[in-house]
Amino acid sequence: MRWAVAGYGDVVERRVLPALRALGEEPVYLWGRDPDRAASVAARHGVRDSGSDERGLLRDEVEAVYVATPVALHVPLARAALAAGRPVLVEKPLAGGLGQGGGTAADLEGGPAAAVAYYRRLAPAVRRLRAELAGWTPARVDVRFRCAFAPGPGHPMRWRIDPAVAGGGVLADAGSHRLDLLVMLFGRPDDVRGRLTDRFPAGAERRAEVDLAWASGVRAHVVAEWGDAPPVDRFEVVGDGRALTLDPLDSGRLRLRTARGSREVMLPPAPNPHQPLIADFVAAVAAGRPPACPVADARIVDEIIAAAGRPCPTGSS
């Protein structure tokens, strides 16, 4: 397919454009909020610049659209692509805490295929963890993430600490991937309680703690933090004397522990995780099947992010 790409950031240059070319897909146009930066990136990668008007993304020769802009533009650009009959793959989160995801659900889920870039669903170790959960309802899931992130003035990622643009802070940014894995494994939670603290001046939180519960009895505790302490990225499922641990999450190392002992399996992820993501989306469009990362589940992630930012009901702990 011939693709238009909205966005010019690191994920586009290091992952999206290389993945499209590796799969034999053709990126034909690139658009961004800053026309000069967009033109520079387009020239560097041999892609045509679609100009200062985002409607240039929908030229007649374009067959699919990848949206990798700041979060506030995700839903508007995806809606425009779908209305023009183009399949669209959108970076995560869909809308975060902006409230746009639920308001445009029917538009994004109808017509051509639409998906959100929660690529960790396709990692071999995550798929193995999901298979190990078949027929087993764990008691709890512990998710911990921490890395350093404090962009100063002029930093190209400064927008990520403005919730009006990014849809939140660390929970919408890094936490959304981990919340998506919980949705993939257990579905929509029945209860969400959150605490968002240690905010940047623009309002985005540096630290988020979220407790989720499902009617099945599963409980999850998620901590996501931008901080200077040693980095952490662990996803652990525990219950009935059994534990499954991905640590670090993206390492491909899955530890399986039972009362009889423990073992490890190594299932490395793709060097470019966007390549299996885009490959699945292209196959889904061709076959008319749902993509691995559907908009319906991405909307649930948005709902969790929004709920985590609301005050707890009076009298609750």
Side-chain angles (χ1 to χ4, degrees), residues 234-254:
R234 183 175 67 250
F235 193 99
E236 185 170 59
V237 182
V238 178
D240 296 328
R242 185 180 178 192
L244 304 172
T245 308
L246 287 165
D247 186 11
L249 174 59
D250 293 333
S251 67
R253 180 186 298 111
L254 176 62

Side-chain angles (χ1 to χ4, degrees), residues 150-156 158 161:
H155 192 287
R158 181 80 171 177
I161 65 172

Side-chain angles (χ1 to χ4, degrees), residues 3-18:
W3 290 72
V5 178
Y8 45 63
D10 189 54
V11 71
V12 168
E13 293 210 68
R14 288 195 307 110
R15 293 185 176 185
V16 175
L17 292 175

Side-chain angles (χ1 to χ4, degrees), residues 13-36:
E13 293 210 68
R14 288 195 307 110
R15 293 185 176 185
V16 175
L17 292 175
L20 288 171
R21 290 217 161 93
L23 293 166
E25 300 291 294
E26 184 182 0
V28 292
Y29 288 108
L30 185 142
W31 173 86
R33 297 176 301 158
D34 182 330
D36 291 337

Side-chain angles (χ1 to χ4, degrees), residues 59-283:
R59 289 180 170 91
D60 289 343
E61 66 188 288
V62 172
E63 297 172 299
V65 177
Y66 197 110
V67 177
T69 60
V71 178
L73 291 175
H74 284 181
V75 169
L77 291 175
R79 288 179 64 192
L82 293 172
R86 272 54 164 202
V88 61
L89 181 52
V90 188
E91 268 302 318
K92 60 79 201 170
L94 179 58
L98 292 171
Q100 295 173 324
T104 59
D107 294 335
L108 295 186
E109 291 182 43
V116 179
Y118 286 121
Y119 57 80
R120 285 180 172 85
R121 289 182 170 221
L122 295 161
V126 169
R127 289 188 161 191
R128 175 64 179 273
L129 182 147
R130 187 178 190 181
E132 293 283 341
L133 283 171
W136 172 44
T137 301
R140 61 182 175 85
V141 185
D142 183 64
V143 182
R144 305 276 169 162
F145 171 84
R146 180 173 58 239
C147 77
F149 183 68
H155 192 287
M157 292 290 103
R158 181 80 171 177
W159 63 267
R160 290 166 61 185
I161 65 172
D162 181 352
V165 180
V170 67
L171 186 62
D173 191 280
S176 61
H177 270 295
R178 284 98 189 138
L179 295 174
D180 176 69
L181 294 183
L182 293 171
V183 171
M184 178 191 72
L185 295 173
F186 308 114
R188 183 192 301 274
D190 295 279
D191 188 58
V192 177
R193 308 291 175 96
R195 296 166 294 282
L196 310 184
T197 58
D198 192 14
R199 296 182 183 271
F200 289 97
E205 81 284 351
R206 292 182 175 90
R207 178 180 173 84
E209 288 192 59
V210 186
D211 292 297
L212 306 100
W214 288 261
S216 63
V218 178
R219 301 289 185 270
H221 184 63
V222 179
V223 178
E225 182 179 14
W226 283 327
D228 293 330
V232 177
D233 198 1
R234 183 175 67 250
F235 193 99
E236 185 170 59
V237 182
V238 178
D240 296 328
R242 185 180 178 192
L244 304 172
T245 308
L246 287 165
D247 186 11
L249 174 59
D250 293 333
S251 67
R253 180 186 298 111
L254 176 62
R255 291 198 296 272
L256 306 97
R257 299 192 300 277
T258 68
R260 295 191 298 272
S262 63
R263 59 192 175 94
E264 286 189 359
V265 295
M266 281 299 300
L267 298 164
N272 180 351
H274 278 65
Q275 189 165 323
L277 168 78
I278 294 172
D280 172 82
F281 183 72
V282 170

